């Protein structure tokens, strides 16, 4: 594990950019129709609870990576198996986000560029920054968070003055009942992107001030949820539910419609910039979690694993789906059937095992 320390503001910036990532431009919560913004807020609340679970495990083992304390709590063989499963899980997530970014860039700007070339350039850029260390990545996040907020402010102004927003499209609230919202929460909104912060368990041992860092983490989840919910609300009020459902990248579609007279047009490039920045940090954190996990498991220097892992992530991103529809379908299936094992089941098992472990340790000390 690296000996560098991350400041609370840097941790906050990493978490916000990670959660915004690809979630800003995809159909987040659209299964619940015009009430998508409610489903996102509910998902955020569940995400806060899950983040609390991850923080409990960190507080119990503040100087150990999950790949180490899993073996302490569950035994050498079971703990190693679960740790390897998480490494593969993180690499798969990184490859899916790499594919998301590549597909959007190709569909919006580099239409004639082959997908493998776009993905190669992105993953090599991530690998280069991670080679400098997680502290450099965290400092970079602080700068880019300011850039993202500035771009978001500009996009908001263009949309506001374009007169394309009709708040009536959000009414009636819960017009179809609570079941569509509940269905959306269970199938997507608590996992993506909020529960995905589980990869930050691999970063928490690098916190310079654990107490302030954890507080910053809660604030990051809260802010990200509010931004995503507000974005969904504005997108649906501008496009309507039907267009938003049919669009692969509704935010891009909405901003593409926005224009102020003949003076300000084609502001959709700002959305592409936001996605590239957010996707960069999302890939980075899953990538880092996989590499640091392998380094801890197999006692191989962190930097020696960076570029071989980059090749694996690149290959996954090319082979994972033949088109965007298949990519979305497989992603939705994984969110519902596979991801809860890693987001909920295993952390809860680890907490139960940690409780038993602490009880036995205290009993022995008392004896």
């Amino acid at each position: 594990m690296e000996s560098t320390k991350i400041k609370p503001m840097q941790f906050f910036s990493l978490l916000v950019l990670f959660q915004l990532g690809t979630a800003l431009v995809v159909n987040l919560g659209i299964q619940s129709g015009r009430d998508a913004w409610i489903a996102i807020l509910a998902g955020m609340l569940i995400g806060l609870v899950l983040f609390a679970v991850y923080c409990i495990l960190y507080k119990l083992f503040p100087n150990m990576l999950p790949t180490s304390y899993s073996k302490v709590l569950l035994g050498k063989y079971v703990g190693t198996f679960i740790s390897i499963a998480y490494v593969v899980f993180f690499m798969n997530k990184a490859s899916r986000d790499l594919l998301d970014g590549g597909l959007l860039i190709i569909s919006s700007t580099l239409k004639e560029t082959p997908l493998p070339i776009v993905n190669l350039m992105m993953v090599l850029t991530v690998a280069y920054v991670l080679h400098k260390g997680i502290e450099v990545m965290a400092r970079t996040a602080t700068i880019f968070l300011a850039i993202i907020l500035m771009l978001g402010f500009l996009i908001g102004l263009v949309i506001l003055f374009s007169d394309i927003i009709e708040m009536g499209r959000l009414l009636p609230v819960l017009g179809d009942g609570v079941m569509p919202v509940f269905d959306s929460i269970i199938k997507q909104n608590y996992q993506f992107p909020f529960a995905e912060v589980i990869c930050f368990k691999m970063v928490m041992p690098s916190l310079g001030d654990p107490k302030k860092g954890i507080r910053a983490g809660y604030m990051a989840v809260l802010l990200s949820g509010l931004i995503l919910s507000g974005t969904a609300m504005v997108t649906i009020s501008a496009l309507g539910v039907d267009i938003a459902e049919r669009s692969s990248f509704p935010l891009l579609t909405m901003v593409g419609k926005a224009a102020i007279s003949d003076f300000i047009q084609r502001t959709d490039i700002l959305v592409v910039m936001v996605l590239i920045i957010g996707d960069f940090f999302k890939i980075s954190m899953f990538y880092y979690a996989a590499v640091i996990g392998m380094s801890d498991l197999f006692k191989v220097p962190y930097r020696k694993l960076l570029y071989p892992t980059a090749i694996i992530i690149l290959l996954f991103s090319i082979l994972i789906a033949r088109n965007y529809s298949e990519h979305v379908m497989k992603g939705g299936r994984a969110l519902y059937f596979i991801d809860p094992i890693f987001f909920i089941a295993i952390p809860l098992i680890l907490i139960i095992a940690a409780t038993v472990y602490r009880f036995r340790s205290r009993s022995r000390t008392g004896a």
Side-chain angles (χ1 to χ4, degrees):
M1 188 175 70
E2 291 185 282
S3 59
T4 53
K5 294 298 179 183
I6 298 174
K7 295 178 181 178
M9 184 59 196
Q10 294 170 343
F11 188 64
F12 173 85
S13 301
L14 280 171
L15 264 167
V16 171
L17 290 174
F18 173 87
Q19 289 172 98
L20 296 182
T22 54
L24 269 175
V25 292
V26 299
N27 279 315
L28 189 61
I30 200 64
Q31 294 96 327
S32 51
R34 66 176 69 87
D35 298 315
W37 62 278
I38 299 175
I40 295 170
L41 287 178
M44 176 198 71
L45 295 176
I46 298 173
L48 286 169
V49 174
L50 290 174
F51 185 71
V53 172
Y54 308 150
C55 289
I56 289 170
L57 287 168
Y58 164 62
K59 289 175 182 178
L60 292 172
F61 301 94
N63 299 314
M64 296 175 68
L65 289 168
T67 44
S68 291
Y69 64 68
S70 294
K71 289 186 281 187
V72 172
L73 296 175
L74 303 176
K76 179 180 177 181
Y77 297 108
V78 176
T80 300
F81 174 77
I82 287 176
S83 297
I84 292 173
Y86 266 108
V87 166
V88 175
F89 178 70
F90 291 145
M91 283 196 290
N92 178 65
K93 285 292 183 182
S95 67
R96 294 193 64 83
D97 287 317
L98 182 61
L99 179 57
D100 274 330
L103 288 171
L104 178 68
I105 290 171
I106 288 173
S107 65
S108 60
T109 52
L110 306 178
K111 298 182 184 294
E112 302 299 323
T113 307
L115 178 65
I117 300 300
V118 175
N119 288 1
L120 175 64
M121 297 306 295
M122 288 183 71
V123 79
L124 286 179
T125 306
V126 173
Y128 172 77
V129 177
L130 286 178
H131 191 270
K132 299 296 181 182
I134 188 63
E135 189 177 10
V136 172
M137 177 64 72
R139 286 185 199 150
T140 307
T142 306
I143 298 170
F144 276 101
L145 178 60
I147 294 173
I148 284 280
L149 293 176
M150 182 182 69
L151 290 174
F153 179 72
L154 291 175
I155 292 169
L157 285 179
V158 172
I159 292 170
L160 181 64
F161 288 107
S162 294
D163 197 28
I164 60 173
I165 295 177
E166 292 183 23
M167 298 305 291
R169 289 171 175 157
L170 294 170
L171 300 174
V173 177
L174 296 177
D176 298 320
V178 297
M179 287 310 297
V181 175
F182 180 76
D183 189 54
S184 178
I185 294 166
I186 295 300
K187 290 184 177 179
Q188 182 189 63
N189 290 112
Y190 82 89
Q191 301 108 316
F192 175 72
F194 305 109
E196 290 182 329
V197 300
I198 192 170
C199 67
F200 280 81
K201 284 168 60 181
M202 309 298 282
V203 180
M204 286 180 179
S206 298
L207 284 172
D209 188 333
K211 189 175 181 180
K212 290 183 179 179
I214 289 173
R215 196 182 305 145
Y218 284 115
M219 294 302 295
V221 175
L222 182 62
L223 176 63
S224 301
L226 293 175
I227 291 174
L228 291 172
S229 179
T231 301
M233 188 182 292
V234 172
T235 301
I236 292 170
S237 64
L239 297 178
V241 176
D242 292 337
I243 297 177
E245 284 179 342
R246 292 196 300 268
S247 176
S248 299
F249 304 107
L251 181 62
L252 191 65
T253 303
M254 176 185 66
V255 176
K257 289 180 61 178
I260 301 177
S261 185
D262 294 325
F263 179 60
I264 299 178
Q265 296 180 338
R266 291 309 309 264
T267 50
D268 49 332
I269 191 63
L270 298 177
V271 176
V272 177
M273 290 172 63
V274 168
L275 174 100
I276 292 173
I277 295 171
D279 196 45
F280 172 85
F281 284 97
K282 192 159 190 182
I283 296 167
S284 298
M285 298 320 299
F286 278 131
Y287 184 179
Y288 175 79
V291 171
I292 204 70
M294 283 189 287
S295 177
D296 186 56
L297 273 173
F298 305 116
K299 308 307 176 188
V300 178
Y302 158 76
R303 287 176 174 82
K304 285 188 177 181
L305 294 168
L306 275 173
Y307 292 100
T309 306
I311 295 171
I312 295 171
I313 291 172
L314 177 64
L315 290 175
F316 275 10
S317 73
I318 296 169
L319 301 174
I320 205 166
R322 288 167 294 183
N323 51 55
Y324 184 76
S325 298
E326 184 182 352
H327 171 55
V328 171
M329 182 187 69
K330 287 183 176 180
R333 207 178 291 156
L335 278 173
Y336 188 58
F337 292 107
I338 299 173
D339 290 7
I341 298 172
F342 293 93
F343 294 149
I344 300 175
I346 295 177
L348 289 178
I349 290 170
L350 288 172
I351 283 186
I352 294 169
T355 304
V356 174
Y357 175 81
R358 290 189 70 187
F359 178 76
R360 286 180 176 177
S361 299
R362 287 175 180 176
S363 298
R364 289 170 189 167
T365 304

